[in-house]
Amino acid sequence: MADKQQTDPAPQWWSRPEGTAEAGRRDGVPAPRPDTGGADHVQDAAPTQDVPPQDVPTQDVPAQDVPAPGVSDLTPDVPAAVPAVRYDPWGAEPLQVVDRGRTPRGIGLWQVVALSLGTALLAGGIGGYLGVLAERRSSTRLELPQAAGAADRGRAPESVAGIAATALPGVVTLHVRGTKGSGTGTGFVLDQQGHILTNSHVVADSQEITVTFSTGESVTAQLVGRDSGYDLAVVKVSGVRGLHPLSLGNSENVQVGDPVVAIGAPFDLSNTVTAGIISATGRPVTAGGDKGDGSDISYVDALQTDAPINPGNSGGPLLDAKAHVVGINSAIRGADKEDATRQGGSIGLGFAIPVNQGKRVAEELIRTGRATHPVIGVTLDMDYAGDGARVGDKGEDGKPSVVADGPGARAGIRAGDVITKVDGQRVRGGDELIVKIRAHRPGDTLTLTVLRGGRESTLKVVLGSANGS
């Protein structure tokens, strides 16, 4: 508001600061008088001039208990009763009032709730952080229970882990590149000279052979020799030190139910270990025959196992509980081709070449590059549907079915004879007879049961020898 004098009602008299009233008043000038109510306002003291003293009448005003503020003690002649308080320019408080806004009210309920929530959240966060910090710095830590035992404790030699630890350094993976493409197989070290045994079908038509050891090191290998009739081959690496040849067992001692371990590279997954048992022995297995003339057919008197064997396992070792090789993994049996659900992998029927047969063939391949086959010198009728193996009426190119002066001829075998047993074991077809014969060495003597004209007889035959393919 503007700073101006208040004119309604008019002040009765002006008060001055202490010590100024008497000093400014000349002799003869009367003191200010109270307002009589008839004038609008009273002017300040007139200019100083000589004026004769006059009597100034006063108006009786009822006395008040509290003297009016602003009345100076310099006017003792003024009656105790004074008019209402007027604006005093020299007073302690000004007429103007400063607007300081609304008087603040008390804190509302929602403010209390918000403040409480904020405080709680802040306290919780600080408490959680301090708790985590204290847990991290504390010597006590959470530790789940664990079975006691030394972490580096070895495994029993006859356990699967023990067998694998013994054999893995001697097992290799073969990558073969040929004119028809590339493939993967497995092999194992035979001796310190670097000879490695594998399957013939792994290295067939090979142009380049790479051998990778369990350590991951790879070297180039050379083909020493192979025989498709036994599905066995030998390759050799040179300049490699620290080889770990595997120990060969005796496949004639293998019995059904014996635990076995297979090692290989199924689907190119090197150093894969599977375990199972010997589920059968003496299984006549034929494989190959892609050429159509029968020259590449393999005849194996196989060990049957349920240890998972898949493509890539071919040529790998089948080991007994002493980590001795008892077989060379060679083939698997899948679902029938006509079956829409046929599986490409193992269904629990794997077949391995007995190591006794593999040993003999490997020795011949290392010495001469070729293997010999035991024969009886006859041509079989492979279309015969009866029980047993029938000797054909004629041989190839119209020649006699029984080779003159051959092992069979010397034993008394004739054309049309049906061979039903070999060493007392029944033979159901021509393939089985070949398998049983090739399970032996040239020079071995076999006892054949022959059916001729409805009568059975036994004949002794000494196996001859023929060069393999």
Side-chain angles (χ1 to χ4, degrees), residues 36-420:
T36 58
D40 293 336
H41 63 275
V42 178
Q43 293 182 348
D44 198 354
T48 305
Q49 60 182 350
D50 293 335
V51 179
Q54 297 179 359
D55 294 332
V56 179
T58 60
Q59 182 178 358
D60 292 336
V61 179
Q64 297 181 2
D65 296 337
V66 181
V71 178
S72 175
D73 293 338
L74 300 178
T75 56
D77 54 344
V78 178
V82 295
V85 178
R86 299 298 180 177
Y87 171 70
D88 184 358
W90 289 274
E93 297 181 359
L95 181 64
Q96 297 89 344
V97 179
V98 178
D99 186 3
R100 301 185 182 275
R102 289 185 179 181
T103 303
R105 295 183 296 177
I107 300 176
L109 178 60
W110 69 270
Q111 293 173 313
V112 173
V113 174
L115 180 61
S116 300
L117 289 177
T119 303
L121 291 175
L122 180 60
I126 295 176
Y129 172 76
L130 293 177
V132 172
L133 186 62
E135 181 180 355
R136 289 182 177 178
R137 293 184 177 181
S138 175
S139 59
T140 303
R141 62 178 181 177
L142 176 64
E143 187 170 340
L144 298 176
Q146 187 176 23
D152 58 347
R153 185 174 60 182
R155 299 293 186 268
E158 66 274 10
S159 67
V160 175
I163 295 169
T166 301
L168 274 172
V171 181
V172 300
T173 301
L174 281 74
H175 294 94
V176 180
R177 184 174 61 84
T179 57
K180 297 181 181 179
S182 59
T184 302
T186 308
F188 59 93
V189 179
L190 291 173
D191 53 33
Q192 292 290 347
Q193 286 71 43
H195 293 107
I196 295 171
L197 184 62
T198 186
N199 282 145
S200 175
H201 71 264
V202 171
V203 296
D205 193 34
S206 62
Q207 292 181 326
E208 182 179 351
I209 304 172
T210 302
V211 171
T212 303
F213 293 87
S214 61
T215 58
E217 297 175 306
S218 298
V219 295
T220 301
Q222 300 297 323
L223 178 63
V224 175
R226 70 185 187 91
D227 188 282
S228 60
Y230 289 112
D231 194 21
L232 291 171
V234 173
V235 300
K236 184 180 181 181
V237 295
S238 301
V240 180
R241 297 181 179 180
L243 294 174
H244 296 271
L246 297 188
S247 299
L248 305 183
N250 188 348
S251 55
E252 292 184 0
N253 295 332
V254 173
Q255 296 183 9
V256 175
D258 285 347
V260 288
V261 172
I263 301 179
F267 304 104
D268 203 13
L269 300 174
S270 302
N271 305 322
T272 296
V273 178
T274 56
I277 62 169
I278 295 293
S279 54
T281 60
R283 290 296 196 201
V285 175
T286 58
D290 296 334
K291 292 183 178 180
D293 58 359
S295 61
D296 61 338
I297 297 178
S298 301
Y299 298 91
V300 179
D301 194 29
L303 300 174
Q304 179 180 303
T305 178
D306 66 350
I309 296 175
N310 291 284
N313 272 108
S314 296
L318 187 68
L319 304 146
D320 64 11
K322 296 181 179 180
H324 295 163
V325 180
V326 295
I328 301 96
N329 301 319
S330 180
I332 61 173
R333 177 71 165 88
D336 294 335
K337 294 182 179 180
E338 292 78 12
D339 188 353
T341 61
R342 183 183 182 187
Q343 302 179 39
S346 173
I347 61 171
L349 291 173
F351 303 97
I353 302 168
V355 72
N356 289 13
Q357 182 174 320
K359 178 178 179 296
R360 179 183 69 82
V361 174
E363 291 170 347
E364 291 185 348
L365 292 175
I366 292 172
R367 286 197 306 264
T368 66
R370 300 179 69 87
T372 59
H373 298 170
V375 295
I376 60 174
V378 301
T379 301
L380 299 178
D381 181 5
M382 302 305 292
D383 296 328
Y384 178 69
D387 190 16
R390 181 179 184 275
V391 179
D393 295 328
K394 291 183 179 181
E396 295 180 1
D397 300 330
K399 295 179 180 180
S401 58
V402 179
V403 178
D405 200 27
R410 291 193 293 267
I413 298 176
R414 300 177 185 178
D417 287 348
V418 177
I419 302 173
T420 58

